[in-house]
């Protein structure tokens, strides 16, 4: 659990990096960077669009021999969506980055919010 704050993405990356350092099947440096980028984008989106002051985010990581799955839970039911890319906006590219890196990603509704998840191939 992380407090919903501008520091949440960095805190989540540090947590996931430490967690994966102890995984049975180590990731290559390149793949680890990709997983951490996905974490950063999902947590940033959850913080910016899925929380209010004093909310928290839950970051869960599940690993298999084939994939790393990252889930970010937030208390809002509103689902994220891919926006058309535009050179005029400074935001709105996060899910495009996740979509390009992840083998698959989606959103699961939860009783009190949602979980946005992405799976990255090892």
């Amino acid at each position: 659990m992380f407090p919903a704050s501008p520091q949440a993405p960095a805190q989540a990356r540090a947590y996931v990096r430490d967690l994966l350092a102890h995984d049975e099947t180590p990731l290559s440096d390149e793949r680890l960077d990709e997983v951490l980028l996905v974490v950063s984008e999902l947590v940033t989106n959850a913080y910016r669009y899925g929380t209010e002051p004093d909310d928290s985010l839950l970051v869960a990581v599940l690993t298999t021999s084939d994939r790393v799955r990252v889930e970010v839970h937030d208390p809002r039911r509103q689902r994220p969506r891919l926006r058309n890319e535009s050179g005029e906006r400074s935001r709105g590219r996060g899910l495009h980055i996740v979509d390009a890196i992840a083998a698959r990603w989606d959103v699961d509704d939860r009783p009190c919010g949602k979980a946005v998840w992405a799976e990255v191939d090892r």
Side-chain angles (χ1 to χ4, degrees), residues 45-109:
N45 282 352
Y47 161 66
R48 284 185 178 163
Y49 309 114
T51 63
E52 304 266 333
D54 298 323
D55 283 342
S56 295
L57 304 168
L58 172 68
V59 177
V61 179
L62 305 133
T63 62
T64 67
S65 59
D66 298 327
R67 291 197 173 142
V68 175
R69 179 181 172 114
V70 175
E71 297 179 1
V72 178
H73 300 243
D74 70 57
R76 282 196 72 194
R77 300 282 304 208
Q78 183 176 352
R79 292 172 152 254
R81 59 184 169 81
L82 286 169
R83 295 180 178 191
N84 292 333
E85 292 191 51
S86 168
E88 297 171 13
R89 285 194 313 262
S90 62
R91 293 183 177 183
R93 295 178 183 89
L95 285 180
H96 287 281
I97 292 169
V98 171
D99 192 55
I101 293 172
R104 60 190 197 128
W105 70 274
D106 206 347
V107 182
D108 293 334
D109 293 323

Side-chain angles (χ1 to χ4, degrees), residues 28-39 101 120-121:
S28 69
D29 288 345
E30 180 181 342
R31 193 61 71 195
L32 177 61
D33 287 346
E34 291 177 344
V35 170
L36 295 176
L37 181 55
V38 167
V39 169
I101 293 172
V120 177
D121 289 335

